[in-house]
């Protein structure tokens, strides 16, 4: 008999059992956990994946927008964990939070989103420390640009989708964007028995993007003895980097 997976979200999930949920309502997380227990009898794994984002400068960000982002991206995971802990404690369960590389760095006009994702990473460590002795592990993943339906819709809405796909791939050392299945594989590992000794960690999954320093496109003059960084012969070569930056929406 396989595992039963429940998704709690606004729409209907055609692949898994779904629970209609509005995570801006603070009563929702506990209700969702109660529904799962009523239908399945136990809870072994919790994955916090809900999130919203808006692009606004700090000085233009309304308190309503700030509070809504905080409610869905950070308060809802906190309340869900709080409601789930009595059940996870019984089975030495697993918690995985979907953070973002924007909890580590920032993209322009994403103040509320970045703040909540950084908070989610901090909450991950706190839960791991407080409940590790109960056999509960808690980790987070920080995805970069992943080809989700939302991100693909964003690309298709740009003036030149083909050019955007090319440029977004170039900012990753691996030369491409990520696949949802690759993120799911990391989550599957973190909830497996093989990861029982891993807790309190934030795993970046971004094709090496956060490890790469940005440079403008400019000519570089080499000393007579050649380039110390790439062993090029004396002369001029070009260091090419794409302009701009794009962060994941998860």
């Amino acid at each position: 008999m396989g595992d039963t997976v429940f998704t709690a979200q606004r729409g209907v999930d055609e692949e898994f059992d779904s629970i209609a949920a509005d995570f801006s309502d603070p009563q929702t997380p506990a209700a969702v956990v109660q529904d799962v227990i009523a239908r399945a009898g136990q809870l072994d794994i919790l994955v916090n994946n809900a999130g919203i984002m808006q692009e606004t400068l700090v000085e233009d960000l309304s308190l309503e927008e700030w509070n809504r982002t905080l409610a869905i991206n950070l308060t809802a995971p906190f309340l869900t964990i709080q409601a789930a802990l009595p059940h996870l404690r019984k089975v030495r369960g697993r918690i995985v939070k979907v953070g973002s590389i924007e909890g580590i760095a920032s993209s322009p006009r994403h103040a509320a989103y970045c703040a909540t994702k950084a908070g989610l990473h901090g909450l991950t460590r706190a839960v791991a420390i407080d409940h590790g002795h109960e056999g509960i592990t808690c980790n987070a993943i920080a995805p970069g640009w992943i080809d989700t339906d939302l991100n693909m819709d964003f690309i298709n809405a740009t003036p030149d989708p083909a050019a955007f796909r090319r440029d977004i791939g170039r900012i990753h050392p691996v030369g491409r964007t990520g696949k949802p299945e690759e993120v799911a594989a990391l989550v599957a590992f973190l909830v497996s028995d093989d990861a029982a000794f891993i807790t309190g960690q934030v795993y970046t999954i971004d094709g090496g993007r956060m490890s790469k320093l940005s440079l403008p496109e400019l000519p570089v003059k080499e000393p007579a003895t050649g380039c110390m960084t790439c062993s090029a012969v004396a002369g001029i070569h070009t260091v090419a980097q794409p302009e701009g930056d794009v962060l994941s929406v998860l």
Side-chain angles (χ1 to χ4, degrees):
M1 183 176 178
D3 297 327
T4 301
V5 177
F6 294 88
T7 62
Q9 59 188 37
R10 287 176 297 177
V12 176
D13 191 322
E14 297 180 356
E15 184 176 0
F16 302 108
D17 291 332
S18 61
I19 300 170
D22 175 7
F23 283 105
S24 65
D25 180 351
Q27 304 302 317
T28 294
V32 167
V33 172
Q34 292 172 4
D35 195 344
V36 169
I37 296 302
R39 293 161 67 174
Q42 68 182 60
L43 176 63
D44 302 283
I45 297 165
L46 172 64
V47 179
N48 297 122
N49 189 42
I52 61 170
M53 183 185 71
Q54 69 282 320
E55 296 188 342
T56 311
L57 293 173
V58 171
E59 62 182 342
D60 298 328
L61 184 65
S62 70
L63 182 59
E64 181 181 2
E65 291 173 322
W66 172 268
N67 285 338
R68 177 171 171 77
T69 305
L70 187 68
I72 294 175
N73 292 10
L74 186 56
T75 303
F78 160 71
L79 292 173
T80 307
I81 291 168
Q82 195 174 61
L85 279 171
H87 308 287
L88 294 172
R89 189 176 292 123
K90 297 175 183 178
V91 296
R92 303 175 70 86
R94 303 279 189 266
I95 302 171
V96 176
K97 301 184 186 65
V98 179
S100 171
I101 59 174
E102 290 211 52
I104 303 169
S106 181
S107 201
R109 305 167 67 89
H110 288 180
Y113 184 77
C114 291
T116 56
K117 291 301 183 178
L120 199 62
H121 296 170
L123 180 61
T124 296
R125 299 182 183 98
V127 172
I129 291 170
D130 288 347
H131 299 282
H133 70 281
E134 298 172 324
I136 298 171
T137 66
C138 184
N139 294 287
I141 61 172
W145 186 279
I146 307 299
D147 293 332
T148 61
D149 290 342
L150 181 63
N151 281 348
M152 297 309 294
D153 289 342
F154 174 85
I155 291 175
N156 292 331
T158 61
D160 189 344
F164 188 94
R165 289 190 187 94
R166 180 190 66 239
D167 292 342
I168 193 67
R170 285 178 178 173
I171 69 173
H172 300 81
V174 299
R176 64 174 179 86
T177 51
K179 302 174 183 177
E181 294 81 5
E182 293 170 318
V183 176
L186 178 55
V187 173
F189 167 71
L190 290 173
V191 302
S192 72
D193 291 340
D194 291 335
F197 197 57
I198 300 173
T199 194
Q201 304 304 305
V202 178
Y203 284 87
T204 302
I205 176 167
D206 68 346
R209 180 179 172 190
M210 296 298 291
S211 299
K212 182 180 179 180
L213 296 176
S214 297
L215 290 172
E217 185 172 333
L218 75 169
V220 179
K221 291 184 177 181
E222 307 297 351
T225 55
C227 178
M228 296 176 64
T229 58
C230 65
S231 300
V233 297
I236 296 179
H237 69 97
T238 299
V239 179
Q241 294 288 339
E243 296 181 359
D245 204 11
V246 181
L247 268 291
S248 165
V249 180
L250 274 180

